């Protein structure tokens, strides 16, 4: 079995790494054996699954300790079809670098404001650095907390064009369902009609990744 290994990373906090990685993991879990590796010492993804208890629809979440990042990801890839990695919000530790050395994809959630994009510029260098040892690494930004009613501003398009990492065509809108899912300890897939639009966002990202 060759696994698809996807890290969700941004050195900036609060951009939606955990929200995106947990919901992507739930979507992939419906397609095949999946594990979510939590490389963030804050352990939000693990907390998220524990809130849901046995009723949650999430794949197993396993901690990934700084000492065994590469080995942990490769081992998870032997046992699963899909491996998601939720990353810590800093570039200081070596963890992010090690993760990017051992995955096929890195998805970088950013909020659709030029300020947030500029704050994520260090990620470009981190991606380029990781490609020295992992030349196949595919990197895309994923716009998060899009306002459904407003098209992206012209300044955002310009800022995106200057950024060396391309953006996926699909992103996540800002939706109460993403917050409710965390409160309830499951994914948006478990929310029925309340989560339908959010599921559509997540599915579009998964299908885009699988088709590239
Ligand atoms: N698409 C979204 N719609 C609504 N709220 C969101 C969305 N994405 C993230 N959030 C909220 O934003 C906050 C930060 O998201 P989180 O996933 O914890 O970011 P990170 O892991 O990058 O720190 C959380 O309160 C989360 O519920
Ligand atoms: Mg997080």
């Amino acid at each position: 079995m060759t696994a698809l290994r996807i890290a969700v990373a941004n050195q900036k906090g609060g951009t939606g790494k955990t929200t995106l990685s947990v919901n992507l993991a739930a979507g992939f879990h419906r397609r095949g054996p999946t594990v979510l590796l939590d490389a963030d010492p804050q352990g939000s993804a693990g907390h998220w699954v524990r809130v849901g208890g046995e009723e949650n629809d999430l794949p197993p979440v396993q901690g990934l300790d700084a000492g065994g990042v590469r080995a942990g990801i490769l081992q998870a890839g032997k046992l699963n079809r899909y491996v998601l990695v939720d990353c810590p919000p800093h570039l200081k530790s070596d963890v992010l670098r090690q993760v990017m050395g051992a995955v096929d994809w890195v998805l970088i959630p950013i909020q659709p404001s030029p300020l947030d994009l500029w704050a994520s510029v260090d990620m470009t260098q981190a991606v380029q650095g990781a490609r020295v040892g992992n030349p196949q690494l595919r990197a895309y930004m994923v716009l998060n907390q899009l306002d459904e009613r407003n098209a992206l501003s012209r300044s955002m398009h310009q800022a995106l064009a200057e950024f060396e990492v391309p953006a996926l065509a699909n992103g996540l809108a800002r939706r109460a369902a993403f917050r409710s899912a965390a409160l309830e300890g499951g994914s948006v897939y478990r929310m029925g009609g309340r989560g339908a639009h959010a599921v559509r966002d997540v599915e579009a990202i998964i299908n885009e990744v699988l088709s590239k």
Side-chain angles (χ1 to χ4, degrees):
M1 184 150 50
T2 28
L4 181 63
R5 296 161 299 195
I6 304 173
V8 180
N10 190 328
Q11 97 288 354
K12 188 172 169 7
T15 63
K17 292 178 287 296
T18 302
T19 302
L20 183 62
S21 58
V22 167
N23 286 291
L24 284 178
F28 279 115
H29 190 41
R30 298 161 70 92
R31 291 169 164 79
T34 300
V35 67
L36 174 57
L37 301 177
D38 191 357
D40 185 353
Q42 282 182 346
S44 327
H47 194 77
W48 189 319
V49 228
R50 280 193 297 278
V51 168
E54 309 219 318
E55 311 259 286
N56 79 65
D57 65 329
L58 303 174
V61 176
Q62 289 167 14
L64 196 57
D65 50 73
V69 170
R70 188 179 175 79
I73 293 173
L74 296 183
Q75 180 62 18
K78 287 188 189 140
L79 302 172
N80 294 278
R81 178 78 187 88
Y82 304 105
V83 178
L84 279 292
V85 189
D86 186 18
C87 291
H90 46 75
L91 285 166
K92 273 175 284 170
S93 74
D94 201 38
V95 170
L96 192 49
R97 212 145 48 83
Q98 291 183 55
V99 169
M100 290 202 289
V103 294
D104 308 293
W105 285 71
V106 56
L107 297 178
I108 304 167
I110 60 149
Q111 301 202 20
S113 120
L115 290 174
D116 284 271
L117 188 60
W118 296 327
S120 303
V121 100
D122 289 350
M123 282 301 297
T124 311
Q125 285 165 1
V127 165
Q128 282 160 350
R131 282 187 175 140
V132 174
N134 183 10
Q136 308 299 330
L137 180 67
R138 313 189 66 177
Y140 288 88
M141 292 182 292
V142 180
L143 293 169
N144 183 27
Q145 306 233 27
L146 288 161
D147 186 339
E148 269 205 305
R149 286 159 305 184
N150 296 321
L152 276 188
S153 67
R154 190 137 67 90
S155 54
M156 190 62 198
H157 277 294
Q158 282 168 354
L160 279 170
E162 283 166 23
F163 211 74
E164 282 163 57
V165 174
L168 290 183
N170 295 286
L172 300 182
R174 184 188 301 124
R175 301 186 192 279
F178 287 110
R179 288 166 193 255
S180 303
L183 284 169
E184 294 167 22
S187 81
V188 293
Y189 288 85
R190 204 182 57 155
M191 295 176 68
R194 287 184 303 147
H197 292 288
V199 167
R200 198 187 57 198
D201 293 351
V202 178
E203 283 291 304
I205 292 172
I206 291 177
N207 288 323
E208 188 175 354
V209 166
L210 291 177
S211 69
K212 273 189 186 282

